[in-house]
Short mmCIF file of all heavy atoms in Angstrom, two decimals:
data_model
loop_
_atom_site.label_atom_id
_atom_site.label_comp_id
_atom_site.label_asym_id
_atom_site.label_seq_id
_atom_site.Cartn_x
_atom_site.Cartn_y
_atom_site.Cartn_z
N LEU N 1591 9.83 0.41 16.78
CA LEU N 1591 10.09 -1.03 16.73
C LEU N 1591 11.55 -1.31 16.70
O LEU N 1591 12.05 -2.20 17.45
CB LEU N 1591 9.38 -1.59 15.50
CG LEU N 1591 9.61 -3.10 15.26
CD1 LEU N 1591 9.16 -3.92 16.52
CD2 LEU N 1591 8.78 -3.59 14.03
N ARG N 1592 12.34 -0.58 15.90
CA ARG N 1592 13.79 -0.79 15.87
C ARG N 1592 14.44 -0.58 17.26
O ARG N 1592 15.40 -1.25 17.59
CB ARG N 1592 14.41 0.06 14.82
CG ARG N 1592 13.97 -0.24 13.33
CD ARG N 1592 14.73 0.61 12.40
NE ARG N 1592 14.29 0.41 11.03
CZ ARG N 1592 13.56 1.27 10.33
NH1 ARG N 1592 13.26 2.45 10.93
NH2 ARG N 1592 13.19 1.03 9.15
N ALA N 1593 13.86 0.36 17.97
CA ALA N 1593 14.48 0.71 19.32
C ALA N 1593 14.36 -0.38 20.31
O ALA N 1593 15.17 -0.48 21.25
CB ALA N 1593 13.81 2.00 19.81
N VAL N 1594 13.30 -1.28 20.16
CA VAL N 1594 13.15 -2.31 21.18
C VAL N 1594 13.92 -3.60 20.82
O VAL N 1594 13.97 -4.53 21.63
CB VAL N 1594 11.65 -2.63 21.35
CG1 VAL N 1594 10.91 -1.43 21.72
CG2 VAL N 1594 11.08 -3.40 20.20
N VAL N 1595 14.44 -3.70 19.61
CA VAL N 1595 15.17 -4.89 19.20
C VAL N 1595 16.19 -5.39 20.22
O VAL N 1595 16.25 -6.65 20.50
CB VAL N 1595 15.78 -4.74 17.79
CG1 VAL N 1595 16.73 -5.87 17.46
CG2 VAL N 1595 14.70 -4.62 16.75
N PRO N 1596 17.05 -4.50 20.77
CA PRO N 1596 18.04 -5.01 21.77
C PRO N 1596 17.42 -5.70 23.02
O PRO N 1596 18.10 -6.41 23.68
CB PRO N 1596 18.84 -3.72 22.14
CG PRO N 1596 18.62 -2.79 20.99
CD PRO N 1596 17.25 -3.08 20.49
N GLN N 1597 16.13 -5.39 23.27
CA GLN N 1597 15.51 -6.01 24.48
C GLN N 1597 14.83 -7.30 24.13
O GLN N 1597 14.30 -7.90 25.01
CB GLN N 1597 14.57 -5.00 25.09
CG GLN N 1597 15.23 -3.69 25.49
CD GLN N 1597 14.27 -2.82 26.16
OE1 GLN N 1597 13.62 -3.22 27.19
NE2 GLN N 1597 14.12 -1.56 25.70
N LEU N 1598 14.80 -7.70 22.86
CA LEU N 1598 14.13 -8.95 22.47
C LEU N 1598 15.07 -10.14 22.59
O LEU N 1598 16.15 -10.12 21.94
CB LEU N 1598 13.57 -8.82 21.05
CG LEU N 1598 12.62 -7.65 20.83
CD1 LEU N 1598 12.21 -7.55 19.37
CD2 LEU N 1598 11.31 -7.86 21.72
N ARG N 1599 14.68 -11.16 23.24
CA ARG N 1599 15.60 -12.28 23.40
C ARG N 1599 15.16 -13.57 22.66
O ARG N 1599 15.93 -14.55 22.64
CB ARG N 1599 15.64 -12.62 24.91
CG ARG N 1599 16.22 -11.52 25.82
CD ARG N 1599 17.74 -11.30 25.48
NE ARG N 1599 18.29 -10.27 26.33
CZ ARG N 1599 18.44 -9.03 25.97
NH1 ARG N 1599 18.10 -8.69 24.75
NH2 ARG N 1599 18.92 -8.11 26.79
N ALA N 1600 13.99 -13.53 22.04
CA ALA N 1600 13.52 -14.64 21.34
C ALA N 1600 14.44 -15.09 20.16
O ALA N 1600 14.96 -14.15 19.45
CB ALA N 1600 12.12 -14.51 20.86
N LYS N 1601 14.63 -16.35 19.95
CA LYS N 1601 15.41 -16.79 18.75
C LYS N 1601 14.68 -16.33 17.57
O LYS N 1601 13.47 -16.47 17.41
CB LYS N 1601 15.49 -18.30 18.83
CG LYS N 1601 16.29 -18.88 17.66
CD LYS N 1601 16.34 -20.41 17.69
CE LYS N 1601 17.13 -20.97 16.48
NZ LYS N 1601 17.13 -22.44 16.54
N GLY N 1602 15.38 -15.72 16.59
CA GLY N 1602 14.80 -15.26 15.32
C GLY N 1602 14.16 -13.92 15.48
O GLY N 1602 13.44 -13.52 14.58
N ALA N 1603 14.30 -13.19 16.61
CA ALA N 1603 13.63 -11.92 16.77
C ALA N 1603 13.96 -10.93 15.77
O ALA N 1603 13.10 -10.19 15.30
CB ALA N 1603 13.98 -11.37 18.24
N ALA N 1604 15.28 -10.75 15.39
CA ALA N 1604 15.64 -9.79 14.45
C ALA N 1604 15.03 -10.00 13.08
O ALA N 1604 14.53 -9.09 12.41
CB ALA N 1604 17.17 -9.76 14.31
N LYS N 1605 14.97 -11.30 12.61
CA LYS N 1605 14.34 -11.57 11.33
C LYS N 1605 12.80 -11.34 11.41
O LYS N 1605 12.21 -10.96 10.43
CB LYS N 1605 14.64 -13.01 10.95
CG LYS N 1605 16.10 -13.25 10.59
CD LYS N 1605 16.31 -14.66 10.13
CE LYS N 1605 17.78 -14.91 9.72
NZ LYS N 1605 18.04 -16.29 9.31
N ALA N 1606 12.23 -11.63 12.60
CA ALA N 1606 10.81 -11.38 12.74
C ALA N 1606 10.49 -9.92 12.67
O ALA N 1606 9.48 -9.50 12.08
CB ALA N 1606 10.32 -11.98 14.11
N VAL N 1607 11.34 -9.09 13.24
CA VAL N 1607 11.15 -7.62 13.17
C VAL N 1607 11.26 -7.21 11.74
O VAL N 1607 10.48 -6.30 11.26
CB VAL N 1607 12.16 -6.91 14.08
CG1 VAL N 1607 12.23 -5.44 13.74
CG2 VAL N 1607 11.84 -7.09 15.50
N ASP N 1608 12.18 -7.75 10.98
CA ASP N 1608 12.32 -7.39 9.59
C ASP N 1608 11.00 -7.71 8.83
O ASP N 1608 10.62 -6.95 7.92
CB ASP N 1608 13.52 -8.15 8.93
CG ASP N 1608 14.82 -7.61 9.39
OD1 ASP N 1608 14.92 -6.49 9.83
OD2 ASP N 1608 15.82 -8.37 9.18
N LEU N 1609 10.33 -8.79 9.20
CA LEU N 1609 9.06 -9.12 8.52
C LEU N 1609 8.01 -8.07 8.85
O LEU N 1609 7.25 -7.69 7.99
CB LEU N 1609 8.63 -10.52 8.99
CG LEU N 1609 9.37 -11.73 8.49
CD1 LEU N 1609 8.85 -13.01 9.09
CD2 LEU N 1609 9.28 -11.77 6.91
N PHE N 1610 8.00 -7.67 10.08
CA PHE N 1610 7.05 -6.63 10.48
C PHE N 1610 7.27 -5.26 9.72
O PHE N 1610 6.35 -4.54 9.44
CB PHE N 1610 7.05 -6.38 11.99
CG PHE N 1610 6.22 -7.33 12.77
CD1 PHE N 1610 6.88 -8.29 13.54
CD2 PHE N 1610 4.87 -7.35 12.73
CE1 PHE N 1610 6.14 -9.27 14.34
CE2 PHE N 1610 4.12 -8.29 13.42
CZ PHE N 1610 4.75 -9.23 14.24
N LEU N 1611 8.57 -5.04 9.46
CA LEU N 1611 8.88 -3.78 8.78
C LEU N 1611 8.74 -3.85 7.29
O LEU N 1611 8.96 -2.82 6.61
CB LEU N 1611 10.34 -3.40 9.15
CG LEU N 1611 10.58 -2.99 10.58
CD1 LEU N 1611 12.07 -2.79 10.83
CD2 LEU N 1611 9.84 -1.70 10.87
#
Side-chain angles (χ1 to χ4, degrees):
L1591 178 55
R1592 294 186 185 105
V1594 307
V1595 170
Q1597 301 185 55
L1598 302 174
R1599 297 291 182 264
K1601 180 181 179 181
K1605 290 183 179 179
V1607 166
D1608 288 341
L1609 289 175
F1610 278 110
L1611 290 174

